[in-house]
Amino acid sequence: MTERSLVKETEDTTGEEQQYVTFSLNDEEYAVAARNVREIIELTNITKVPQLTEHFRGVINLRGTIVPVVDLKLKFGMRSDGYRKHACIIVTEFSGGIMGLIVDAVSDVIQIPEESIAAPPSLGSRIRTDFVRGMGRVGGDLVIVLDVERVLSDDEFAAVEEAEPFKDT
Amino acid sequence: MDLEKLRSIFIDEAMEQASVFEEGLLQIEKSPQDKELLNTIFRSIHTIKGASGTLGFTDISRFTHVMEELLDLMRQERLAVERETIDVLLRATDLIKEMIEAVASGSDFDSTKCEGLVTEMEELKRLQTKRTYRVLFRPGPDLFRRGLDPLVILDGLREIGEVTMRADTDAVPPLSEMDPEELYLRWEMELKTERDPAEIEKVFEFAMDGGDVKIIPVEASEEEVPLLGQLLVEEGVVGPEDVEKALKSQKRVGEILVKQGKVSPKDIEKVVEKQSQRKVESLKKSISSTIRVDLKKLDHLVNIVGEMVIIHSMLQQAVQGNDNGDSERTDAVLSQLQRIGKDIQESVMSLRMLPVGEVFNRFTRLVRELSSSKNKRIELVITGEDTELDKGVLEKITDPLVHLIRNAIDHGIETAEERTSRGKPPHGTIRLSAYQMGDSVFIDVEDDGRGLDKERILNKAVQKGIVESPSGLTDDQIYNLIFMPGFSTAEKVTDISGRGVGMDVVKRNIEALNGRVFIRVRPGEGTTVSIKLPLTLAIIDGLTVLIGGEVFVIPISSVIESLRPGRENVKTLNERDEVIGVRGEFIPLIRLYEELGVTPRKRDPWKAIVVLVSHEDKRCCLLVDDLIGEQQIVIKSLGTALPKVRGIGGGTILGDGRVALVLDVPGIIERTMRRVIR
């Protein structure tokens, strides 16, 4: 059982080829390290949880465990017009726990050698650069490699502040 | 296996063995003759010693070694099983636990802490060690002539220990050759004494000349009567080979009996078979019938099984949708599946159940120590220790129980003089009993003390402003005042209780487990506190309600009733806070949709439903769109990655596989109350 594998991937994998799960958000291709991915499931019934920021869609039942889900497009401030036919949830693990990411479609599981990941561009990207580990070159295409840890940890804090507008002193 | 894993196994096992050891000590005090128990105790300390030695925890292994030696002496009956010895060993157990905890937390243990106890144990060993010696006394033949009387010497031996002796008359010559002034006798003695050989030798001080005294310590195992053959060889009567030959020709009891025609060979065979069966059984008994399982694995299993039950109901719904003519058979199979599913679920839940004895037995020691520190004689009687409770509940019940028992010892049970003057037996009794009734487990703490003092409780309550006037309260209401925050009747603060955090904490802790506390007082005769607990922590009854198209669950334990108020009963205070009149009483209204931040279907209370809930003594009306029904639910966490949401205590999975949020009623009420007061 090696599914628990949340380690800071930036440090101990240099030089190694790593597996990534690629997926699409609107017309862009993204990738997350496969070691952060626990499983990929179909879009299922989501129960709304009040008070949270919009991109927190709610919680789902993952075989008896309740897992919160985030709409990545909303999180990244992208245009979102309902879920598409192939939309699914990538269940990821990070240091803060388990989180589901709603994406438009999962494309592939690929190897991206560390040396083909270039530093993130400082300009021109729609999403915050600190979420991006780099730009991966796969064949002739470019994928945006996300740092799951940063994407999700950011949410943790942002949402906590958001969730306590009620100050009772 | 890596060291870390070994270490955590060690911690678990050592802690368990330490508890076994402690419980055993407490029991052996009551039945000092129980050899088997003594062996169990010995084994548990030996296990800790061995394991700690292997893993290099030298402090623990050295310390347990001393304890082991002490116990070994007890096993050999060279050290009496006495209160003082047990006291020392109990304190040593505490220290071992401390050391194990230090290993667990990775902190340093100050090994000088052991020194005091080690010295005490060594002292015990030295002082109370009774050893058996074989003393061979061959006085010189001129003993009489030197004016010594062997009888005096032998009496001297009797003074220092228990002696059994045998005079050896082999050397006595026939009467005609005997010189009356010469001593022909030799003595062989067995001496049980605490003294060491040097001191024994002193008894023979004057008889040594010309004679011979041998003092041979006898090891415990040899203390049993030596085999005949062995003795014969020792005495030089026959050689070892002769004995062996004789042994070979010796027949078994069975064979002899057959030869004598008393039994048939078949009978013997049968009995022999039975004998071997018994051997197997006793062997089986010595192998533990339990296995240790990581709680996480169990919880995982509980989850999977819960999911299976849900999928079953989904399957049922799906099948009912497409009627293909063979529905009767499908129904039969489905209901069979449901039954099996339920069985599995129940047995999985039962895996989390532990006998309450695990916790109860710890209290024997508590009572023993607290009562002697209070100079009271109190016996703890435990019943129903096999009653099972969910592990989670059991863990959280320990502290409240400690508190109740302390209260009984401190306030409940009187001193021996006071008891005698009231015609009660001088020693008090605390009964700790557990039993199951329906879906609940009851734990009663009953003492035969003085009961609660109504007057004093009332005075105190008035003085502390808990009640306004002492009149108009029923006895029950008065007794229940002790559960109010900040109430403590102890006139002087003792180390045991009376710190002001008392019964209210007990009550809160029990209520957090969805349990309830009752108190029954028999003035002058005793007090009984009953705790009622749900069988499992995880499953609760929930009221499902609709708010803004989403299902929410309100734990039934906090629900009083649900109603649709008349329009005229909804009032506003200060143009801001709303109240609802329920039978002449005005109760604050909380619009749950506002509290949660969802869009409701109904905003007017007279069109919707209000659920009257309570937390402690505060009551509120929760406005919901509609009621759905009641069902048993398993409360789950919403996941660590989700921030805490106001008003939501967790989630649960409904029969259709969807997640429903469970409302945090105490949180909602408390927040509203604060807002209203402000």
Side-chain angles (χ1 to χ4, degrees), chain B residues 426-438:
Chain B
H427 71 273
T429 306
I430 296 176
R431 282 174 203 285
L432 186 58
S433 46
Y435 50 96
Q436 190 181 337
M437 240 162 80

Side-chain angles (χ1 to χ4, degrees), chain B residues 379-414:
Chain B
E379 195 192 348
L380 180 71
V381 179
I382 294 173
T383 52
E385 56 264 69
D386 293 335
T387 312
E388 292 189 325
L389 260 181
D390 185 272
K391 183 179 163 65
V393 177
L394 200 59
E395 271 168 8
K396 292 187 177 127
I397 195 75
T398 313
D399 283 349
L401 282 179
V402 168
H403 206 96
L404 291 177
I405 290 174
R406 288 182 155 206
N407 265 348
I409 296 172
D410 204 23
H411 310 310
I413 292 184
E414 316 90 330

Side-chain angles (χ1 to χ4, degrees), chain A residues 2-107:
Chain A
T2 49
E3 59 175 3
R4 291 208 120 262
S5 53
L6 22 123
V7 202
K8 280 179 213 144
E9 76 234 28
T10 34
E11 279 156 24
D12 52 30
T13 54
T14 17
E16 273 176 47
E17 283 204 348
Q18 241 210 94
Q19 288 208 312
Y20 289 86
V21 174
T22 59
F23 57 90
S24 59
L25 298 177
N26 290 343
D27 303 323
E28 294 171 352
E29 279 291 300
Y30 289 82
V32 290
R35 50 166 39 192
N36 283 110
V37 176
R38 191 193 242 207
E39 62 188 289
I40 295 160
I41 58 171
E42 274 179 54
L43 199 60
T44 157
N45 276 323
I46 300 174
T47 300
K48 272 188 237 156
V49 178
Q51 300 158 35
L52 298 181
T53 22
E54 198 195 5
H55 63 262
F56 262 116
R57 299 306 299 188
V59 287
I60 57 162
N61 164 19
L62 178 70
R63 287 189 311 281
T65 307
I66 299 178
V67 175
V69 290
V70 160
D71 184 328
L72 266 196
K73 281 195 284 187
L74 290 174
K75 164 87 189 164
F76 294 156
M78 298 163 76
R79 166 178 51 86
S80 177
D81 37 13
Y83 297 122
R84 303 185 180 180
K85 196 183 165 199
H86 297 292
C88 47
I89 298 174
I90 303 178
V91 180
T92 53
E93 285 183 297
F94 73 114
S95 58
I98 304 173
M99 184 85 83
L101 308 177
I102 304 174
V103 300
D104 281 335
V106 167
S107 325

